[in-house]
Amino acid sequence: ELLPCILPLTALLFYRKEMALQGSLLSALMLGALVYGAAAKGLLRNIRSEGVFCTDGGGGHVALEQGMYGQHSGVRPLFLKFHKVGGTTVMDVVNSFLDQDPVCTRCCGIDRCIGQPLGCTGHDGKFIFREMLNFRSPGVLRIGNKADSMDPSNVLPDEERFGLLRLASKDYLKWMPASWSSDERLLILTVLRDPVERMRSKYYYNLESGWCVLPECAAKNSTFLEWMQMPLMSDIKTGKSPESCCEYTTTLGMSVESAKTALATLFDIVGINEKMDELLVTIARSMGKPYSSLPDPRSPEYTALDNSDSKKPWTTKERQVAEELVRDDLEVYRYALELNARRMQHFWGSQEDLDQAVQEYQRGQ
């Protein structure tokens, strides 16, 4: 019922910088009317600060024929996809295991789906956690074994996590059943990367990207050091944003301790970008898939999104500034490193068994 009031205002806020530069309030009002008109026709469902649009019909996605996909395995994955952590590789793997239109799963069911959406693997998943942890129920999570927060027993039961996820807006929860069943299994996973390197990758991604264009693209107008020293901006094109420096903490409860608690209690798999092959074989085993169904680690496509060769070496000053900017996320990442080691040990039984699985995958078995 509030949609007619909210969408024009959203458009005004989202385009406030552009409209201010043009000095045209009339243009902003016209844009708001257009956005509302599109929404009324069901063409536009969500506006994202990242520039990602998930639509209901007319989004440019091909409608797939009924019966193209396999049977639901009972696993309902929720992937918390941070930026510049190798998340697209993980998202694509999970989507392929679901045997469902990947557009449907990437957009958490917001986009056109054939049948019931089965998971949530794209950036929209962040809004579930932000609503649940930052606004609807801040501080609700508690660690059962306080003496050992990394103990796998601290992961909440599926039914309890299901109830917590239901605190988020229903638009993001179309992939979840109306009520929980013992036939269903939640698989909540994420992957983290050294936030110092993650922020540098964000700068170089903007620098090389075709969507970040002059004159407003800050990365194309400044050095990496100058870009890091800019004030935080809500628009990722005009400067560094919380997405670049602080995405772990701003998504998982707005503090270091809240983020640690969320990782310890909500996530079945906490992966590390620097150990991607370990993460992929763990996902395959968790979803009952052979390693042969994973992307070929020897193919050029496996590293197609790696932009390491385009980056200049760190300077001492750059690293000092970067470590200060990401200090909270860096503490969360260091916790995740230990948590990952404990969870992998528990899941596989031993490091030797995990190493063997990785070797089998790398040999193409």
Side-chain angles (χ1 to χ4, degrees):
E1 290 79 7
L2 293 176
L3 192 63
C5 303
I6 293 174
L7 276 170
L9 178 59
T10 303
L12 286 171
L13 293 173
F14 186 75
Y15 287 91
R16 62 191 183 281
K17 179 180 71 66
E18 287 81 359
M19 294 303 115
L21 289 173
Q22 295 172 18
S24 173
L25 178 60
L26 178 59
S27 296
L29 290 171
M30 290 175 64
L31 178 63
L34 287 172
V35 171
Y36 169 61
K41 295 181 180 180
L43 297 179
L44 182 63
R45 287 299 303 272
N46 288 299
I47 301 176
R48 299 284 179 264
S49 60
E50 296 100 325
V52 175
F53 290 80
C54 286
T55 62
D56 247 355
H61 304 298
V62 177
L64 301 173
E65 294 181 6
Q66 189 73 32
M68 287 186 64
Y69 299 100
Q71 297 296 313
H72 174 36
S73 64
V75 177
R76 298 274 181 172
L78 170 57
F79 174 47
L80 175 54
K81 186 176 187 285
F82 293 114
H83 289 83
K84 315 314 298 174
V85 298
T88 298
T89 297
V90 177
M91 177 184 70
D92 288 345
V93 164
V94 175
N95 288 348
S96 70
F97 288 170
L98 288 175
D99 291 329
Q100 186 175 52
D101 179 2
V103 170
C104 174
T105 310
R106 184 192 70 200
C107 289
C108 306
I110 293 172
D111 212 315
R112 176 188 298 155
C113 289
I114 300 298
Q116 170 68 33
L118 303 177
C120 177
T121 59
H123 285 306
D124 276 17
K126 288 191 305 179
F127 294 93
I128 296 176
F129 288 94
R130 285 175 178 169
E131 283 198 15
M132 174 177 63
L133 298 175
N134 299 357
F135 304 111
R136 302 293 180 90
S137 57
V140 71
L141 295 177
R142 295 289 185 272
I143 293 177
N145 183 358
K146 295 182 180 179
D148 183 4
S149 67
M150 298 182 188
D151 191 318
S153 67
N154 286 317
V155 179
L156 298 174
D158 280 359
E159 187 173 0
E160 189 170 346
R161 290 187 293 171
F162 174 82
L164 289 170
L165 292 174
R166 280 290 177 191
L167 296 173
S169 171
K170 63 181 181 180
D171 282 345
Y172 304 123
L173 301 178
K174 295 181 179 181
W175 58 277
M176 293 179 67
S179 59
W180 196 248
S181 165
S182 59
D183 295 332
E184 305 280 354
R185 180 167 66 89
L186 269 177
L187 181 66
I188 303 182
L189 63 158
T190 191
V191 55
L192 287 78
R193 179 187 183 187
D194 182 345
V196 175
E197 291 294 343
R198 195 181 74 81
M199 185 166 67
R200 185 167 70 138
S201 283
K202 190 63 180 178
Y203 167 78
Y204 279 96
Y205 175 77
N206 287 3
L207 184 66
E208 299 164 1
S209 176
W211 69 266
C212 193
V213 297
L214 293 170
E216 68 267 22
C217 184
K220 288 183 169 69
N221 278 323
S222 57
T223 66
F224 179 41
L225 182 60
E226 291 169 342
W227 180 81
M228 287 192 293
Q229 292 173 329
M230 293 177 179
L232 282 177
M233 304 289 288
S234 60
D235 187 333
I236 59 177
K237 291 188 293 186
T238 56
K240 72 176 187 296
S241 68
E243 173 191 298
S244 306
C245 69
C246 327
E247 196 172 27
Y248 302 157
T249 47
T250 56
T251 302
L252 293 172
M254 300 301 292
S255 73
V256 170
E257 290 308 311
S258 294
K260 291 179 180 179
T261 300
L263 290 174
T265 58
L266 293 177
F267 289 84
D268 301 286
I269 300 176
V270 177
I272 300 298
N273 166 273
E274 294 83 356
K275 299 180 179 181
M276 182 59 74
D277 287 354
E278 291 187 3
L279 172 59
L280 294 182
V281 297
T282 302
I283 294 172
R285 182 175 174 182
S286 296
M287 298 187 70
K289 301 294 182 178
Y291 305 146
S292 59
S293 61
L294 293 169
D296 184 352
R298 299 161 296 185
S299 70
E301 290 79 10
Y302 187 70
T303 57
L305 298 178
D306 187 352
N307 65 348
S308 300
D309 293 342
S310 65
K311 299 173 185 174
K312 296 179 181 180
W314 282 96
T315 67
T316 301
K317 179 64 174 177
E318 285 173 349
R319 185 169 286 278
Q320 288 175 344
V321 172
E323 289 180 352
E324 176 61 24
L325 286 170
V326 303
R327 62 185 182 278
D328 286 350
D329 270 19
L330 189 58
E331 187 174 344
V332 175
Y333 172 73
R334 288 168 177 162
Y335 179 83
L337 284 174
E338 294 184 56
L339 186 62
N340 167 267
R342 287 284 300 277
R343 293 286 173 80
M344 290 296 182
Q345 175 76 21
H346 176 77
F347 183 85
W348 289 95
S350 68
Q351 185 64 45
E352 291 75 16
D353 288 344
L354 174 56
D355 291 343
Q356 182 178 348
V358 170
Q359 291 167 12
E360 291 176 4
Y361 165 49
Q362 292 173 343
R363 288 197 300 265
Q365 297 181 6

